[in-house]
Amino acid sequence: MRVIFMGTPDFSVGTLEALIQAGHEVVLAVTQPDRPRGRGGKVQYTPVKEKALEHGIPVFQPVKVREKSCVEELARYGADVMVVIAFGQILPKEILELTPYGCINVHASLLPKYRGAAPIQWSIIDGETVTGVTTMQMDEGLDTGDMLLKAEVPIEADETGGSLHDKLAAAGAELCVETLKALEDGTAHPEKQGETPTRYARQLSRETGRIDWTEDAASIERLVRGLNPWPSAWTIWEGETMKIWGAEVLEKESGQPCGTVAEVTKEGFLVQTGKGLLAVTQLQIPGKKQMAADAFLRGYRLEPGTRLGEG
């Protein structure tokens, strides 16, 4: 097939590669405009743009995909299908209906679960044990189009947002190739979505990671894993942001108020939550790299009774 590929972040790159390897002719890569990244603020290519240029694929970076000039540009390539994965803009009807096979989206959840921008992280935070990827025929709704194929991916007990991201990216790439083959063969059977049984997987922000110590330890531990590597779970310690990168749940109580450091050992420290203790094993403070909790305690004083999250 002649394919227009629309995507922006790392999650999209594997699917672009898979389409090329499968023999599809990717005639155009559409991605978000280049933006400054990192501390230096240097403008960098998007991951999809980098990969497309490696393969000699033309790149188009519209500021607003809804503009008439954008639709006209896409129409010039005479594509059979558009593949959309984490592109970052909502597509108008004119684009959805531009090619014979329409727009095929790869979504990182088992739809209709976790419609929205951050399905990977929320599936971990909510305690799901299985997630996956779904290919769908896009419509004008947000992740509401007819489902085509699905692939399940288990969520391990120590899964992080980063590790699950990589697993789902790989599964999505393979499933997309299968989906295009099914469309070509006429064996695809679109299935309507029902009502979603989960909350909307809203966009992540720094505030998403603020730890509420009145929550139970298991919920906080899932927040820590789900928001690793971005935007991270965090709390306040001595007026500074302390990022929590690793933690374990202990099913016992200290009798202390929530957010209180109940015990300090050579290995780390325990914090009282709304239910159970949270053993902090990996953390980061401003100006320092990630470190094990025992390394932190060798350099900084932390007394039992210290309240976290205040200030």
Side-chain angles (χ1 to χ4, degrees), residues 252-258 260-263 270-273 276-277:
K252 61 179 183 178
E253 307 293 335
S254 70
Q256 298 289 321
C258 297
T260 303
V261 176
E263 185 178 346
L270 312 181
V271 185
Q272 180 63 55
T273 71
L277 296 177

Side-chain angles (χ1 to χ4, degrees), residues 106-118:
V106 182
H107 185 74
S109 80
L110 297 175
L111 289 171
K113 281 189 168 185
Y114 295 102
R115 295 171 181 158

Side-chain angles (χ1 to χ4, degrees), residues 20-304:
I20 295 168
Q21 294 301 319
H24 293 287
E25 183 184 0
V26 181
V27 295
L28 180 68
V30 186
T31 187
Q32 294 278 60
D34 301 328
R35 292 187 172 91
R37 291 193 214 168
R39 292 183 179 178
K42 183 179 179 181
V43 175
Q44 298 181 31
Y45 290 171
T46 71
V48 163
K49 180 177 180 177
E50 289 183 351
K51 185 58 61 176
L53 293 177
E54 282 181 24
H55 289 280
I57 297 170
V59 175
F60 179 44
Q61 296 178 276
V63 175
K64 293 183 179 179
V65 76
R66 289 180 171 273
E67 292 181 351
K68 183 180 179 181
S69 59
C70 176
V71 179
E72 292 173 347
E73 175 66 16
L74 297 180
R76 287 199 313 111
Y77 288 84
D80 300 308
V81 67
M82 294 189 192
V83 171
V84 184
I85 176 167
F87 171 57
Q89 295 188 46
I90 296 175
L91 305 184
K93 183 177 180 181
E94 291 81 0
I95 291 178
L96 295 174
E97 299 177 349
L98 193 60
T99 59
Y101 289 100
C103 292
I104 305 303
N105 178 243
V106 182
H107 185 74
S109 80
L110 297 175
L111 289 171
K113 281 189 168 185
Y114 295 102
R115 295 171 181 158
I120 298 173
Q121 293 84 358
W122 287 112
S123 64
I124 295 175
I125 294 169
D126 288 351
E128 299 283 349
T129 57
V130 177
T131 186
V133 287
T134 305
T135 51
M136 67 174 169
Q137 188 84 52
M138 293 178 70
D139 61 15
E140 292 184 85
L142 189 59
D143 301 330
T144 56
D146 291 354
M147 300 177 293
L148 297 169
L149 294 178
K150 292 183 180 183
E152 291 189 352
V153 174
I155 298 178
E156 305 297 338
D158 61 349
E159 201 81 70
T160 66
S163 63
L164 188 57
H165 168 283
D166 294 347
K167 290 178 183 179
L168 292 176
E174 184 176 337
L175 193 69
C176 184
V177 172
E178 292 179 21
T179 299
L180 293 196
K181 185 176 187 304
L183 289 172
E184 283 187 289
D185 295 345
T187 57
H189 300 289
E191 177 185 355
K192 296 289 184 184
Q193 291 191 46
E195 291 298 315
T196 179
T198 55
R199 60 180 171 173
Y200 179 74
R202 67 183 185 277
Q203 185 76 45
L204 302 175
S205 68
R206 179 180 183 275
E207 194 61 26
T208 309
R210 181 191 290 268
I211 295 173
D212 178 356
W213 293 106
T214 66
E215 294 284 337
D216 61 86
S219 295
I220 296 172
E221 190 272 340
R222 293 197 304 268
L223 182 75
V224 168
R225 289 189 289 109
L227 299 186
N228 182 348
W230 190 88
S232 83
W234 58 275
T235 190
I236 297 296
W237 164 71
E238 294 190 351
E240 299 278 3
T241 297
M242 174 186 282
K243 294 183 178 182
I244 308 297
W245 292 111
E248 297 174 359
V249 177
L250 300 180
E251 295 182 356
K252 61 179 183 178
E253 307 293 335
S254 70
Q256 298 289 321
C258 297
T260 303
V261 176
E263 185 178 346
V264 178
T265 69
K266 290 182 178 180
E267 292 76 30
F269 56 93
L270 312 181
V271 185
Q272 180 63 55
T273 71
K275 180 181 179 183
L277 296 177
L278 190 77
V280 176
T281 60
Q282 197 82 11
L283 59 86
Q284 185 177 12
I285 56 175
K288 300 294 182 180
K289 295 180 179 180
Q290 289 187 38
M291 66 183 86
D294 61 347
F296 167 76
L297 292 171
R298 287 195 295 271
Y300 299 88
R301 190 174 183 83
L302 184 67
E303 298 285 352

